[in-house]
Amino acid sequence: MNNNFNTGKEVEQWRNFRYNNQDYDLSHLNEHWAEYLDDKDENNPILYKFIVTYGLHCFTKESNELSSDESQLLMYHAPNESRQFNFDRYELSKQLPSIIKSLSKKTTLVCHAGNGNYATVKVLDSNGIEVDYYVVLVFKKPKKKLRLHIVSAYPKYEGIGKVIKVGFFVIAKNLLNNRKLPSR
């Protein structure tokens, strides 16, 4: 998986995708700020401000099931990678901004996903079926700014298996204080 987050070349503004004379708006995946208030210690609340970016894999998917012509028609060209637009991932991606806003809530599962990444959450797909929506999160602090990059997001109909939970504010606090992030 090409992870542009490590190169500092995150897409700030996604261009819409056009297919069969229909535009698919990707502005919900444009770079934005997210704020989280940790008020566990009411005498010393901490406000964490993250720059949030999203990767190409949130709305695209490699597919060997398409004809060559259809594959080319569905190709989305990002600055560093090209992949086929995926309508199911696109529909689910519309929920990402609200998922990101809810990361600090106790009802939102944040767990280890391996390789220093984290993942979360259960959502309803376009058919109204609850699925594990595997949202791969990477936290960094380049140039003294907290950054959260969503590398990929996709449904896992077979479940995510055994998870090891980690508190969002544990990640945020360690990142802010230049400490090692929690690992398995």
Side-chain angles (χ1 to χ4, degrees), residues 81-180:
E81 184 179 12
S82 297
R83 286 170 45 115
Q84 289 99 4
F85 187 86
N86 182 272
F87 297 99
D88 291 334
R89 284 191 180 192
Y90 167 74
E91 286 301 322
L92 285 170
S93 78
K94 293 176 183 177
Q95 298 182 56
L96 285 171
S98 63
I99 290 168
I100 298 308
K101 285 180 186 173
S102 73
L103 285 175
S104 65
K105 295 187 169 119
K106 292 182 185 202
T107 55
T108 301
L109 171 67
V110 178
C111 62
H112 290 283
N115 300 321
N117 299 331
Y118 302 90
T120 184
V121 72
K122 287 191 182 291
V123 297
L124 296 179
D125 68 9
S126 58
N127 297 316
I129 298 169
E130 184 177 75
V131 297
D132 288 305
Y133 189 35
Y134 203 65
V135 180
V136 181
L137 312 167
V138 176
F139 296 86
K140 299 281 182 185
K141 188 182 169 188
K143 300 178 184 174
K144 298 184 180 184
K145 292 186 178 179
L146 300 178
R147 296 190 71 94
L148 168 57
H149 181 69
I150 295 74
V151 177
S152 184
Y154 52 92
K156 289 193 73 157
Y157 291 98
E158 66 279 358
I160 59 174
K162 185 178 179 180
V163 298
I164 300 172
K165 295 180 185 180
V166 61
F168 173 80
F169 286 124
V170 172
I171 297 168
K173 184 176 182 178
N174 284 8
L175 189 64
L176 183 67
N177 293 313
N178 298 314
R179 290 193 212 130
K180 185 177 179 187

Side-chain angles (χ1 to χ4, degrees), residues 14-20 22-24 26 56-57 59-87:
W14 290 100
R15 90 187 135 65
N16 294 340
F17 179 70
R18 187 161 184 80
Y19 180 73
N20 283 345
Q22 182 174 347
D23 285 327
Y24 294 86
L26 293 167
L56 177 70
H57 292 222
F59 61 91
T60 64
K61 179 182 178 183
E62 287 295 325
S63 177
N64 297 327
E65 300 170 8
L66 302 171
S67 70
S68 178
D69 289 341
E70 189 169 22
S71 178
Q72 286 306 310
L73 288 172
L74 289 172
M75 194 61 64
Y76 187 95
H77 300 284
N80 296 311
E81 184 179 12
S82 297
R83 286 170 45 115
Q84 289 99 4
F85 187 86
N86 182 272
F87 297 99

